[in-house]
Amino acid sequence: MTPGRPTSALRHAPDACFGGYNPVRHWRVSILLAAVVFAAFGHGPACAQATDSRSANPPNILFIFTDDQSARTLSCYPNSYSFANTPHIDRLAARGVRFSQAFTGAKCVPSRAMMLTGRLQFNVGERCDRYWAEDFRSQGYTTAMIGKWHWGKGVEMHRHGTAWDWSVIWDHGQPHEHTTYYWGQSVNIDGADAVPLDGYSTDRYTDFAVEFISQQQVTDKPWFLWLCYGGVHGPYTPADRHLGLYGEGDDTPIPADVFGPRPGKPEHMDQFTKWEAQDGRPFHSGRSLDSWVKQYNEAVRAIDDGVGRLWKALEVSGQLDNTVIVFTSDQGFAWGQHGLRDKRYPYAAALQNPLIVSSSGRFAEGAVCDAPVNGPDIARTLHSIARVEPQIPLDGRNFAPLLKEPASAAAWTDEPMLLTYTCSRYTSEAIELAITEGNWKALTFDNSPAWLMLHDGRLKYTRYLAEDCIEELYDLENDPDELVNLAVDSAWRDRLSDIRREAEQAFRHKGATFVDVLPSPKLIP
């Protein structure tokens, strides 16, 4: 087995705990585990010296990136569903720092574009941006990417051999791959033609990740693995072993504003809902909110299983102590809040995702950080952790100091968190052109205009890229569910004016020239 190359050994061999048994697979694994145990424990002081040497080097980074996963799905978050049970991910939080206000992105494609480039959406070129993983690779890291790809399509966009040494990629943009989130996928291995993945995708991605981790124990190079699960994007299909797992759990709470009206919110949100009322309970496509949410959470359990297997692979191979594990998602997902069954909308219920950074002995443990952070912030911080010098401009803020002192969030930076969703428009020039031409259709999704957001830790401000639309301002300390829009409260008029100006300046500072041509917001007397 050559280090840094995916093999086919796991391609058609389901693990026994997932309902299949393959004696050849288990023979190979037994030999591998024996070699690992011998390497880890059979050499006494020599092994200790190797461990000490490795800890002095830049750490490995396991970057787990899920899809449409709300923080409410993890039992380590205080606002999680009562039936949620994620013990392996909870262990990451117990041995690291959990962020309470993470907003990686707003939709699959722009969120991944921002993560690949470290830039906010308006600074991302549609095809020409360099991926920062190339800098990790050129500065001594072995780089790998496993799982969902959703930024352009085709192996030329994957950039195997340029950004990645090792890759197993499900290209969601290819024909017939839009509906294969859990079963029936094909993958490009190391840039080659697509081959069937076979099996439940969450488990199969974990198989390949375990293989990659096991191979790295024979090299002194640090490694970076971006593991992109397709779960828990719709259709929210659980592994067979988890079907019905939460059927007897508590009923899912019904959000207060699942049905309108919503006084004080913009007109497009006042009466909007994606749910039908049946005896006062919300239904969608003939199924109750409770049924949807429980299925969604059941699909999370395979991810949690995967985290447990990855932890074990790191532990058995002697790499756990020198590996930083980052767990997050491309964005969250709203189930009924503000009438939504969606991401994209500028509310915490729709966008807030988990973020856990874990490395025992390296960072604070069992800690919570309340600083709001976005996707580019994660990219910038990964560079700091890895001691990699960025070779491209990055828009993010380095929150590495918060990993050791998470309680210092208030004094960490004067820069607010910024986020935008400008539909399929990338680059400030393209957004500005749509605005100046009055092409509002290009800046509209569902019933909502595109938007920009500023979050300072307590106040969250949203301005829409639309004509005659009111702004939104929420005091999250007193109104965490964002039910009372302070932008229409005359007592907040001066603060609204100040934060509007702060947002324009902050976005302009990041290169968002389109703020200079934004339509004036609708003001309430």
Side-chain angles (χ1 to χ4, degrees):
M1 184 182 295
T2 304
R5 308 293 296 174
T7 73
S8 60
L10 297 176
R11 193 174 300 157
H12 302 292
D15 195 273
C17 69
F18 299 145
Y21 180 77
N22 184 308
V24 174
R25 159 88 191 281
H26 283 261
W27 172 78
R28 293 173 185 235
V29 170
S30 297
I31 295 297
L32 175 61
L33 290 179
V36 169
V37 170
F38 180 76
F41 301 109
H43 297 287
C47 177
Q49 291 171 8
T51 302
D52 292 341
S53 173
R54 191 166 186 78
S55 65
N57 294 328
N60 308 314
I61 297 177
L62 171 56
F63 184 26
I64 304 170
F65 198 77
T66 67
D67 200 327
D68 286 5
Q69 186 175 6
S70 167
R72 296 184 301 274
T73 64
L74 301 185
S75 45
C76 59
Y77 275 80
N79 62 339
S80 64
Y81 297 106
S82 62
F83 45 78
N85 183 25
T86 51
H88 299 297
I89 300 171
D90 292 357
R91 177 169 55 181
L92 297 181
R95 300 195 181 189
V97 180
R98 173 174 60 82
F99 285 76
S100 65
Q101 300 195 81
F103 295 79
T104 300
K107 190 183 179 185
C108 302
V109 179
S111 182
R112 282 164 175 75
M114 291 192 297
M115 190 55 68
L116 281 163
T117 64
R119 299 170 180 173
L120 290 160
Q121 185 176 351
F122 54 80
N123 282 332
V124 175
E126 293 196 28
R127 293 187 65 84
C128 61
D129 280 306
R130 175 185 172 96
Y131 305 154
W132 52 259
E134 298 173 37
D135 298 334
F136 274 59
R137 190 167 182 258
S138 67
Q139 295 179 47
Y141 270 77
T142 297
T143 58
M145 194 275 175
I146 297 172
K148 178 183 176 180
W149 183 271
H150 203 176
W151 170 240
K153 61 182 178 181
V155 293
E156 70 280 0
M157 291 298 292
H158 306 164
R159 301 187 189 173
H160 177 83
T162 303
W164 317 109
D165 296 291
W166 206 101
S167 63
V168 181
I169 292 176
W170 171 53
D171 192 334
H172 179 272
Q174 295 292 350
H176 313 300
E177 294 293 340
H178 291 282
T179 59
T180 61
Y181 267 91
Y182 299 93
W183 296 94
Q185 291 183 4
S186 295
V187 293
N188 300 100
I189 298 179
D190 282 357
D193 291 342
V195 296
L197 177 66
D198 290 342
Y200 184 70
S201 66
T202 302
D203 295 340
R204 300 297 291 114
Y205 295 171
T206 304
D207 288 342
F208 278 106
V210 168
E211 180 183 359
F212 172 79
I213 290 169
S214 298
Q215 290 181 3
Q216 304 318 301
Q217 65 185 312
V218 300
T219 176
D220 290 331
K221 290 182 66 176
W223 51 263
F224 168 76
L225 168 58
W226 192 25
L227 172 57
C228 296
Y229 287 113
V232 282
H233 192 286
Y236 325 111
T237 305
D240 290 346
R241 63 188 181 277
H242 297 137
L243 285 168
L245 184 67
Y246 294 136
E248 301 302 318
D250 296 339
D251 288 344
T252 302
I254 298 175
D257 64 342
V258 63
F259 306 116
R262 302 178 189 88
K265 275 189 163 48
E267 184 177 348
H268 65 270
M269 291 301 299
D270 181 33
Q271 297 285 348
F272 175 74
T273 188
K274 293 190 175 184
W275 299 88
E276 299 176 357
Q278 295 186 20
D279 297 325
R281 296 187 301 149
F283 278 71
H284 180 86
S285 300
R287 291 179 53 190
S288 69
L289 170 71
D290 181 65
S291 171
W292 282 110
V293 171
K294 286 178 177 173
Q295 177 182 322
Y296 172 72
N297 278 267
E298 287 167 0
V300 171
R301 286 299 295 270
I303 296 173
D304 188 67
D305 287 349
V307 170
R309 293 177 60 202
L310 295 166
W311 181 285
K312 187 65 174 178
L314 290 168
E315 189 173 48
V316 168
S317 64
Q319 300 178 82
L320 182 62
D321 289 344
N322 198 40
T323 299
V324 174
I325 305 174
V326 180
F327 184 95
T328 192
S329 188
D330 54 0
Q331 62 268 325
F333 201 85
W335 286 101
Q337 298 87 352
H338 317 299
L340 300 176
R341 184 180 177 271
D342 210 321
K343 48 232 182 185
R344 301 184 296 179
Y345 289 76
Y347 302 104
L351 301 182
Q352 188 176 334
N353 51 262
L355 173 60
I356 300 168
V357 183
S358 182
S359 184
S360 184
R362 189 183 301 268
F363 306 133
E365 298 189 21
V368 178
C369 183
D370 294 325
V373 296
N374 63 22
D377 294 339
I378 297 173
R380 180 64 189 88
T381 303
L382 290 177
H383 282 73
S384 178
I385 292 171
R387 308 172 209 169
V388 169
E389 190 66 31
Q391 301 301 303
I392 57 176
L394 301 176
D395 289 333
R397 306 162 301 167
N398 177 16
F399 60 75
L402 297 179
L403 299 176
K404 293 189 175 181
E405 297 183 14
S408 66
W412 162 51
T413 180
D414 292 332
E415 282 191 61
M417 190 207 79
L418 305 179
L419 194 64
T420 61
Y421 178 58
T422 51
C423 305
S424 60
R425 289 295 185 271
Y426 298 83
T427 77
S428 187
E429 294 78 9
I431 299 165
E432 183 174 344
L433 182 63
I435 294 171
T436 56
E437 291 183 345
N439 185 8
W440 304 115
K441 183 177 180 181
L443 296 172
T444 302
F445 63 96
D446 269 9
N447 66 312
S448 175
W451 48 264
L452 58 81
M453 177 202 298
L454 179 150
H455 191 334
D456 70 6
R458 176 172 178 174
L459 295 179
K460 187 166 79 63
Y461 167 80
T462 299
R463 183 167 174 180
Y464 290 94
L465 280 61
E467 296 179 304
D468 200 33
C469 188
I470 65 173
E471 301 150 293
E472 295 189 77
L473 179 65
Y474 297 98
D475 179 352
L476 298 182
E477 185 173 304
N478 294 309
D479 180 24
D481 296 328
E482 298 179 86
L483 300 177
V484 180
N485 182 12
L486 300 174
V488 300
D489 185 338
S490 59
W492 284 78
R493 188 170 301 162
D494 290 344
R495 185 67 187 98
L496 175 64
S497 178
D498 289 342
I499 203 168
R500 181 189 306 125
R501 183 170 56 254
E502 291 169 17
E504 291 174 354
Q505 292 174 348
F507 276 96
R508 192 179 292 112
H509 177 70
K510 292 293 186 182
T513 57
F514 70 85
V515 298
D516 293 328
V517 296
L518 283 176
S520 297
K522 180 179 180 178
L523 302 178
I524 305 299

